[in-house]
Amino acid sequence: MCVAFFFLSHGQSKTINSGWQYSEDKTNWQTVNIPHTWNVKDAFDDVAGYRRGLGFYQKQLFVSSKEKDQIFYLKFNAVNQEATVFVNGKKVTNHKGGYTAFTTEITSHINFDSYNIIEVEVDNSHNENIPPLDADFTFYGGIYRDVELIKVPKQHFSLKDFASDGFYVNYDNVSNEKAGVNVTVLIDNFDEKTNTNVDLTIVDAENNLITEKHQKAKLNAKESKTIKVTFPEIKNPKLWSPDDPYLYKLQLTLRDTNGIILDQKYANIGFRWTTIDSENGFFLNGKPLKLIGINRHQDYKNYGNAVPIELQKQDIHLIKNMGANVIRFAHYPHARELYKLCDELGILVWTEIPIVNKVTDSEAFFEVSTTMQKEHIKQYYNYPSVVMFGYMNEIFLRLAFDRKSTKEEKEALKKTTLKLANQLEELTRKLAPNHITVMAGHLNEVYNETGIADVPMLLGWNLYFGWYDAQIEDLGTFLDDQHQRYPNRSLLLSEYGPGADVRIFTKTPKKFDFSTNYQAKLHQSYYKQITNRPFMTGMTAWNFADFGSEFRGDAIPHVNQKGLVQYDRTPKDIYYWYKSVLDTKEPFIHIATDNLKKLTLLEDETFPIQIYSNQPSISVFLNGEKYREYSLENGFVSVDLPLQNGQNRIEVMTHEVYEEKYVHINRIKTFDFENFKRFGINIGSHLYFYDEEQNITFVPDQVYKKGWFGYKNGTAYGITKDKNQGLPHNIKNTDAEPLFQTLLEGCNEYKMDVPEGNYKVILYFVEPQIKPTENIYNLSKNTATIDKKQRIFDVYINEKLIEKQLNLAQAYPEKYGVTLQTKIQTKKGLTLKLNAIEGLPVISGILIEKLD
Ligand code: GCB
């Protein structure tokens, strides 16, 4: 009986996630479960900002006096961003930082055989002393990772060392021939002087015992003891790698002198060693390995950061399935379960703490940062997948855009930042001597100038050539130049990628157009540029998935759309292109037509369709007939198929693999309305836009052609030749943002040569210049405020007045998507007239429907 009790009670942890009470004001309470955040809705609504302030949590916990001789801890796996914990009204701890775990010992505060009240006061307000101060992601507030109640006997593996597992696995001299392992074990004694035994065993993946060590540990009264256990070298170890993530397992058991188990812990053991070389890149186990993978943020559509762990694990499977061999968990430590999965699946990890964009010159900021890095390293140290520990991202971003500070202030801030970097670097090297230290910078000479670029062992560059900066091809030139100037520096392309919305596609992709085609173009070129350069250790795309960034107003407001998969993790086509170049295990084909919805094409018009495959050549069949064979280069081929009106069946095959897709085409000659009733034009734009609500794809605009449609005058506003000139964003009252975002300015006449009949016409307008949101990531300098009389115009179709003196800025003080709808009878053609009274008229789109 007694033994059974001990077996049940040793080192027990249970999650206490359910049945918490939550309140914003301590008056109105609601029942919630953990993971929880209070920003799920307001970080995505039309009102600027989201609630950053206090949130109160409470839970009752019954503890039986049968457990009186146990030691009790609470463990919070992450609370964003500051937490103060009370037990039965007494403050037990305060923790700063929203992405690392903390524990607190609560034994003396417990009332046995009654209910105990746990209260947590959470604060996600801006705090000058807690990083991140500022970043391109939403700082959702709440208790968003598991809360655990841990009970342990009086002697146990320490829970007090920065919430680590109380032991650290170190590897010495791992090679093909041998592997040394030693383990630092921390044991806490809450009792009188006593003796304990520590048993450590290493088993292989099949559970065969490989080696074991038994060590006696004499513990003084109330002592915290550190012991170091060194195993004899393991001969011919099976090595761990992405291709073969072979894991041994370490088990640690703490027993009393009667052999009764007091505590037990496990860890994965993966034997591997890494080196980096500024000429030849990254090496794993002595072999060159180009690191190719992604960055990941932890939030998820409709969950904020409070994402069930099983959903999060699916991400890691998706990433592995794509063929990635590395993940940068950006810009903060993610859930530990995911690192364990990286061990198991074979994915190398870069993990970092969220010191992003700028630092505060204060002792408190330095202290919180240092503690955070200690927690980070100690909590994530034992995962063999973790090879890189980082601590700063684009730390001079704010400085680079700072137009207020004096030169002296800026110089002082550079010094402070460098000082913190050096401190964190030193700490990281000391705590994690076998890991690679990293940081990521943005395109700015300041990283070289200050010398911060040479502080970490590996420098990541976040480079957005062809998006925020210059052109796609400029990437290689920049990297070659850096390599030449700093030949001893190891480099990784730590971020890159354009925004892409699956509703937008085009034959002529352009910088900043958010089309999936531009996304393909940029990634395909970057991959070539990096794989052609042996000195580059690798590349991690920004980002695995679309993610929440409250201040953004791109094609989907409040979402950064640079994901290879959407916010709900539906893959964009580019995900499959990566799979085609990275995953060689099994033959694979993907026809990139997933988002080609309701495509309208003119008589002889074609649309280039990309086919992705890891096979050298493929055969393409169209509507049951063989069309052609193609060779693939860089994992893809672009084909112009003679698609017919209606449903088209595209089949692609090799001897080993087959895929078919259906594409629906509206093939039209003119406005004969023979096989269509409705026609939409994305005015002022080179983009097709699929509008879900209207279930129609708006076609790109053109200059007027007789017998067809187009503008007689005006200029495109928004995306121009190669620059984002300040797209109107955060447009309210619509989900069809991209339709409104591109528009024609100064157009007085627009013609559609429709035949005689009755039509319904919808016109789309937005005033583009209301309150442009300042977005440092857009690098847009356009911050003009609007003159409310900017533009006033009358809207006519043929002779019919649709709206007199349309003044968008006046009528809609915020940026609204405005539609005007009318019915009109015509003998011949529709001519839209926008007669200017003041300023230049604008128009974003038109949808016509033939009524009879
Ligand atoms: C960056 C930042 C990242 C942003 C990204 C972007 O360089 O490191 O946090 O989200 O650019 O999309 O602008």
Side-chain angles (χ1 to χ4, degrees):
M1 193 57 208
C2 178
V3 172
F5 172 72
F6 272 107
F7 264 94
L8 279 175
S9 68
H10 69 72
Q12 277 214 349
S13 148
K14 64 170 184 186
T15 51
I16 46 167
N17 287 343
S18 56
W20 286 76
Q21 295 298 307
Y22 166 73
S23 173
E24 266 180 42
D25 53 12
K26 286 195 168 177
T27 310
N28 300 305
W29 294 88
Q30 82 191 86
T31 306
V32 300
N33 292 332
I34 310 295
H36 174 259
T37 171
W38 61 77
N39 296 121
V40 167
K41 289 206 176 77
D42 69 350
F44 299 92
D45 64 13
D46 273 349
V47 185
Y50 54 107
R51 197 172 78 80
R52 296 192 62 185
L54 292 172
F56 303 93
Y57 293 82
Q58 274 195 11
K59 181 175 172 65
Q60 298 206 355
L61 216 58
F62 187 86
V63 185
S64 154
S65 58
K66 283 190 187 142
E67 298 171 330
K68 242 184 166 146
D69 55 352
Q70 303 276 297
I71 307 298
F72 288 81
Y73 283 87
L74 287 174
K75 178 168 184 179
F76 291 85
N77 282 280
V79 181
N80 200 31
Q81 67 175 351
E82 181 169 1
T84 310
V85 183
F86 303 83
V87 175
N88 297 325
K90 291 254 163 55
K91 177 176 161 183
V92 292
T93 196
N94 169 276
H95 181 262
K96 295 181 175 61
Y99 305 91
T100 42
F102 60 96
T103 54
T104 176
E105 200 250 307
I106 57 167
T107 321
S108 63
H109 301 282
I110 289 181
N111 297 328
F112 289 97
D113 286 337
S114 71
Y115 283 96
N116 294 271
I117 299 176
I118 315 289
E119 290 166 285
V120 190
E121 195 178 298
V122 182
D123 190 353
N124 74 333
S125 327
H126 179 80
N127 185 326
E128 276 300 303
N129 293 320
I130 308 178
L133 300 173
D134 167 56
D136 180 20
F137 58 95
T138 303
F139 307 146
Y140 311 92
I143 306 180
Y144 72 94
R145 286 186 201 147
D146 287 351
V147 184
E148 296 170 57
L149 177 70
I150 304 174
K151 313 178 263 195
V152 276
K154 292 204 167 97
Q155 293 81 33
H156 52 261
F157 296 121
S158 179
L159 291 159
K160 290 192 302 206
D161 196 34
F162 296 89
S164 77
D165 288 335
F167 67 97
Y168 304 98
V169 183
N170 311 298
Y171 299 92
D172 310 311
N173 304 319
V174 178
S175 70
N176 284 305
E177 290 77 39
K178 59 185 171 51
V181 190
N182 70 72
V183 186
T184 308
V185 187
L186 313 183
I187 304 165
D188 283 346
N189 180 19
F190 278 69
D191 211 348
E192 296 310 309
K193 187 173 169 179
T194 184
N195 290 333
T196 54
N197 296 310
V198 194
D199 302 334
L200 294 96
T201 55
I202 295 181
V203 296
D204 66 12
E206 291 78 40
N207 253 335
N208 302 310
L209 181 69
I210 298 297
T211 178
E212 57 187 328
K213 271 265 175 186
H214 304 283
Q215 197 138 330
K216 290 202 184 331
K218 286 190 182 165
L219 306 174
N220 289 327
K222 309 279 185 278
E223 185 186 15
S224 291
K225 186 162 189 127
T226 304
I227 58 171
K228 197 161 171 172
V229 181
T230 304
F231 284 97
E233 275 176 350
I234 293 164
K235 300 275 174 267
N236 302 318
K238 285 200 181 134
L239 299 179
W240 180 95
S241 69
D243 281 343
D244 185 9
Y246 191 90
L247 290 176
Y248 295 79
K249 195 157 255 130
L250 169 74
Q251 180 180 303
L252 296 91
T253 309
L254 185 70
R255 293 176 200 272
D256 68 11
T257 43
N258 297 322
I260 303 289
I261 296 177
L262 299 168
D263 202 356
Q264 208 155 36
K265 292 274 162 86
Y266 300 88
N268 286 330
I269 299 273
F271 292 118
R272 86 283 179 280
W273 78 98
T274 60
T275 39
I276 41 171
D277 172 331
S278 62
E279 258 333 299
N280 301 303
F282 180 85
F283 290 75
L284 181 70
N285 303 333
K287 295 187 199 127
L289 178 72
K290 199 69 142 185
L291 296 172
I292 299 179
I294 50 81
N295 288 264
R296 177 188 186 263
H297 262 304
Q298 67 185 359
D299 65 326
Y300 202 108
K301 189 175 182 179
N302 298 331
Y303 292 96
N305 59 353
V307 189
I309 195 66
E310 287 310 318
L311 264 189
Q312 299 202 56
K313 283 186 183 171
Q314 285 176 29
D315 278 8
I316 310 301
H317 286 285
L318 265 175
I319 292 163
K320 179 70 187 179
N321 228 306
M322 188 181 91
N325 59 22
V326 62
I327 295 182
R328 175 179 177 220
F329 285 114
H331 289 304
Y332 41 78
H334 293 211
R336 296 212 317 165
E337 291 88 333
L338 307 183
Y339 293 64
K340 182 163 176 268
L341 196 51
C342 288
D343 289 351
E344 290 159 8
L345 297 179
I347 306 176
L348 294 152
V349 170
W350 160 331
T351 179
E352 66 190 15
I353 53 168
I355 309 184
V356 181
N357 291 2
K358 62 173 178 180
V359 308
T360 304
D361 186 3
S362 75
E363 229 174 82
F365 187 88
F366 272 54
E367 200 185 306
V368 174
S369 302
T370 307
T371 304
M372 204 181 268
Q373 182 68 334
K374 280 186 191 160
E375 292 171 337
H376 174 217
I377 296 173
K378 287 175 182 256
Q379 292 167 19
Y380 293 81
Y381 187 78
N382 288 340
Y383 298 107
S385 55
V386 174
V387 293
M388 293 174 255
F389 275 116
Y391 49 83
M392 275 179 181
N393 181 69
E394 304 195 350
I395 204 59
F396 290 126
L397 190 80
R398 274 290 165 198
L399 182 100
F401 285 89
D402 180 356
R403 279 165 231 131
K404 288 192 202 117
S405 305
T406 62
K407 201 163 179 273
E408 289 70 36
E409 284 166 338
K410 286 187 178 183
E411 286 311 310
L413 190 59
K414 286 183 198 170
K415 272 208 182 122
T416 306
T417 309
L418 187 63
K419 184 171 148 202
L420 182 60
N422 277 315
Q423 280 184 17
L424 292 171
E425 177 71 21
E426 199 186 317
L427 175 76
T428 308
R429 288 189 191 213
K430 191 170 134 223
L431 293 181
N434 290 322
H435 292 75
I436 299 164
T437 58
V438 284
M439 80 163 65
H442 78 287
L443 182 65
N444 197 299
E445 197 45 34
V446 65
Y447 296 90
N448 293 327
E449 232 175 60
T450 52
I452 207 168
D454 285 314
V455 174
M457 299 173 189
L458 174 64
L459 178 71
W461 279 114
N462 300 343
L463 299 172
Y464 290 89
F465 290 106
W467 191 248
Y468 302 130
D469 306 288
Q471 303 303 328
I472 293 174
E473 299 71 35
D474 297 319
L475 171 73
T477 318
F478 172 82
L479 292 172
D480 291 342
D481 178 58
Q482 290 295 315
H483 181 54
Q484 203 200 342
R485 285 166 59 199
Y486 305 98
N488 299 323
R489 198 186 275 168
S490 286
L491 301 178
L492 185 126
L493 176 62
S494 38
E495 287 182 26
Y496 63 96
D501 187 302
V502 295
R503 299 166 299 171
I504 302 174
F505 41 94
T506 176
K507 289 194 232 183
T508 50
K510 288 182 192 163
K511 183 174 171 176
F512 233 95
D513 68 7
F514 285 88
S515 70
T516 45
N517 312 80
Y518 189 76
Q519 188 181 33
K521 187 174 166 176
L522 188 143
H523 282 275
Q524 288 160 357
S525 167
Y526 267 54
Y527 177 74
K528 272 210 127 167
Q529 295 184 65
I530 297 298
T531 48
N532 280 341
R533 289 179 167 75
F535 67 86
M536 289 301 294
T537 56
M539 62 201 295
T540 46
W542 190 259
N543 190 288
F544 165 62
D546 291 355
F547 60 92
S549 179
E550 198 277 336
F551 69 84
R552 271 189 183 266
D554 298 345
I556 300 175
H558 318 296
V559 176
N560 183 318
Q561 289 179 272
K562 297 194 183 72
L564 308 184
V565 305
Q566 297 179 49
Y567 203 9
D568 66 0
R569 274 49 175 179
T570 308
K572 300 179 189 175
D573 283 321
I574 192 66
Y575 169 88
Y576 297 107
W577 173 75
Y578 271 105
K579 186 170 170 61
S580 78
V581 286
L582 299 180
D583 184 5
T584 49
K585 273 188 223 88
E586 283 177 15
F588 169 76
I589 290 174
H590 175 78
I591 307 167
T593 50
D594 289 4
N595 307 310
L596 282 187
K597 292 201 184 91
K598 309 254 167 202
L599 185 57
T600 299
L601 292 176
L602 272 180
E603 211 171 2
D604 300 318
E605 202 183 355
T606 57
F607 191 90
I609 289 174
Q610 289 206 333
I611 297 169
Y612 303 145
S613 179
N614 55 9
Q615 302 300 297
S617 59
I618 49 164
S619 304
V620 177
F621 286 68
L622 180 62
N623 298 322
E625 308 256 314
K626 174 140 184 186
Y627 181 67
R628 250 195 72 175
E629 308 219 329
Y630 291 92
S631 303
L632 280 86
E633 147 73 9
N634 199 21
F636 76 97
V637 60
S638 208
V639 299
D640 276 318
L641 295 173
L643 299 165
Q644 66 187 29
N645 185 53
Q647 196 80 312
N648 288 268
R649 180 178 182 206
I650 305 172
E651 293 165 282
V652 179
M653 62 192 84
T654 69
H655 287 305
E656 287 154 312
V657 59
Y658 170 89
E659 178 166 86
E660 68 171 353
K661 283 275 171 72
Y662 287 87
V663 180
H664 192 95
I665 299 294
N666 222 6
R667 177 77 64 190
I668 60 176
K669 276 193 214 119
T670 56
F671 281 124
D672 54 16
F673 290 96
E674 261 174 29
N675 55 36
F676 64 105
K677 277 247 168 280
R678 297 184 308 149
F679 191 79
I681 308 163
N682 188 4
I683 295 184
S685 178
H686 65 289
L687 304 166
Y688 289 91
F689 170 70
Y690 171 67
D691 180 15
E692 210 161 45
E693 245 168 51
Q694 290 285 358
N695 190 23
I696 193 170
T697 293
F698 288 78
V699 302
D701 203 5
Q702 61 183 17
V703 66
Y704 173 67
K705 289 188 191 118
K706 202 166 165 35
W708 198 213
F709 70 90
Y711 53 88
K712 299 276 270 197
N713 55 0
T715 46
Y717 182 106
I719 302 157
T720 58
K721 263 177 257 121
D722 66 348
K723 223 178 166 163
N724 163 31
Q725 302 227 298
L727 284 179
H729 42 241
N730 275 342
I731 301 168
K732 294 187 194 314
N733 202 29
T734 180
D735 287 328
E737 290 248 341
L739 178 61
F740 290 98
Q741 282 176 332
T742 48
L743 47 106
L744 206 57
E745 190 178 42
C747 169
N748 307 111
E749 196 175 336
Y750 199 98
K751 285 177 81 74
M752 290 142 289
D753 293 343
V754 297
E756 180 175 0
N758 277 314
Y759 295 90
K760 182 168 109 181
V761 180
I762 307 177
L763 303 171
Y764 296 78
F765 302 94
V766 71
E767 169 49 62
Q769 288 194 20
I770 293 173
K771 285 194 212 144
T773 321
E774 209 216 337
N775 176 357
I776 52 167
Y777 297 92
N778 254 341
L779 312 191
S780 155
K781 298 198 175 63
N782 180 1
T783 48
T785 45
I786 178 123
D787 167 3
K788 294 233 158 167
K789 277 195 192 141
Q790 182 88 3
R791 46 188 116 240
I792 302 174
F793 51 97
D794 295 338
V795 182
Y796 286 87
I797 298 180
N798 295 349
E799 302 312 315
K800 184 176 173 187
L801 176 70
I802 311 296
E803 183 94 358
K804 185 95 191 132
Q805 300 223 359
L806 179 60
N807 181 343
L808 293 161
Q810 196 70 42
Y812 305 96
E814 302 230 40
K815 216 179 300 165
Y816 270 85
V818 176
T819 51
L820 297 178
Q821 187 172 317
T822 189
K823 281 187 183 152
I824 192 154
Q825 194 172 28
T826 179
K827 288 245 172 296
K828 198 167 179 279
L830 296 171
T831 300
L832 170 70
K833 290 235 163 122
L834 306 172
N835 293 341
I837 297 163
E838 259 189 69
L840 297 172
V842 285
I843 179 150
S844 294
I846 189 162
L847 177 59
I848 45 182
E849 180 177 346
K850 182 117 191 324
L851 294 176
D852 49 53

